[in-house]
Amino acid sequence: MLFESLTKVLNPDEIQLIKAVYSRTVVSLGNEKFLPNVGVAQGSGISPCLFNIYAELLLVELQMNGWRIDDLLGFADDYIILCLTKGMLRKAIEAVRDWCSRANIKLNLEKSGILEIVPKGLSQSFVGNKFEGVPVVSEYKYLGLVLDNKVNGSKHTDKLFGFRDENGKKQRGKIKFLKYNLSPLLKDISVDYRVNLWQILVRPLFLPLALLKNFLCKSTAEEIKRKLQKSLKWFLGLARNTPDEVVFSLFNPIHTGWSYRDFTQKI
C-alpha cells in the first residue's frame, strides 16, 4: 500500500530504490533475525516523509467530511483535529478509526487524548473521563509542544523553567536541569562554545511554541521572548539586564546569518 501511494510523487526508479532498501532491512532481537514487512523503519530520515504520503488520504477524507484544512495538523503519526462540537468530535474519532482499520495501522486510544478548550473563566469539566474510548486530558504533548486549555504556551514554558505541582512541590524544568548539570563545564569554555551549546540544547526547546503563533497575544509573545533571552544570557554568563546589543555582539553573524535589526525576532 505504501509503494502504491509513492507512485503519486516518485518515479519508478526512485520507488525501486526504496523497495531495495526495505528488502534488505533486517531486525535483530538477540540471536534472532527477521525481515519486517509492516511499517516504516524507525530512525530512518525519510520515514516521516513516507508516513506523511501514506497517511495523506486520512486528511483528504476528513476534508471531504467537512473539516477545513486549517483545522487539521499532521506530521508522521502525530495528528490534531480541531472540533467545535461533540458531534464533530465523535465523527472525527469514527473517521480515524475506520481509516486506521483499512490502512492496517493500530490506533492506540490510550496514547491519544481529547483536550477540551473552554472559554476564559471556566474550567475543564470532563478531564479524567473518556469519550468514545479516548481519554479527556488536562494537557497534551504534540510534536514537543505541551498544550493545555489556555493555549498560550505557559504550560510549555513551565516545563522549561520549572513549576509547582498540585502539592505545591517545586519541579525543576528542562533548562534548570541543563543549568545544574552544565555549570561545571560552562565556566571553563569560550563564549563561542557557549553560544553553540545554547543553539543546540536550549533554542530547540522553544521552537514548538511557533505552532501557537496565531493564538498568542502580544504580551504573551513578549513574555516568551523574555524567557528565551533569559536562557541565552545565563548560558553566556551575562546579567539579566544586559542590553540586547551586547548579547548580539557576542554572536558570529557569519554563522547565524542574523543582523541586529532582526536579532530580537529570529532569536
Side-chain angles (χ1 to χ4, degrees), residues 17-18 33 81 99 118 140 153 176 183 203 207 216 245 253:
L17 173 61
I18 296 175
K33 296 182 179 181
I81 304 171
W99 183 85
V118 298
Y140 194 82
K176 292 285 187 179
S183 289
R203 186 169 180 262
L207 293 180
L216 301 179
E245 295 92 333

Side-chain angles (χ1 to χ4, degrees), residues 48-97:
C49 297
L50 293 177
F51 198 102
N52 285 342
I53 295 168
Y54 186 75
E56 182 185 20
L57 284 177
L58 172 58
L59 298 177
V60 172
E61 288 190 17
L62 289 169
Q63 281 186 271
M64 293 174 62
N65 279 279
W67 271 268
R68 299 183 308 126
I69 191 64
D70 293 341
D71 293 334
L72 304 171
L73 299 175
F75 179 74
D77 59 347
D78 290 314
Y79 277 70
I80 283 182
I81 304 171
L82 302 181
C83 304
L84 298 179
T85 66
K86 285 185 179 180
M88 287 183 65
L89 179 57
R90 182 177 288 106
K91 189 177 178 181
I93 295 172
E94 291 175 353
V96 172
R97 275 177 168 162

Side-chain angles (χ1 to χ4, degrees), residues 115 124 138-141 144-166 173 209 212 216 220 224 227:
L115 183 63
Q124 294 171 305
S138 59
E139 63 180 65
Y140 194 82
K141 191 173 184 179
L145 174 65
V146 182
L147 293 166
D148 64 359
N149 66 324
K150 296 178 182 178
V151 201
N152 63 2
S154 61
K155 182 67 68 172
H156 186 85
T157 54
D158 284 346
K159 299 286 186 181
L160 298 184
F161 288 91
F163 62 98
R164 292 191 180 276
D165 60 22
E166 297 175 351
L209 289 166
L212 298 179
L216 301 179
T220 301
I224 292 173
K227 289 188 174 183

Side-chain angles (χ1 to χ4, degrees), residues 191-210:
V191 171
D192 284 344
Y193 199 169
R194 291 187 185 200
V195 170
N196 289 336
L197 279 178
W198 177 81
Q199 295 202 91
I200 293 170
L201 299 177
V202 178
R203 186 169 180 262
L205 299 176
F206 286 85
L207 293 180
L209 289 166

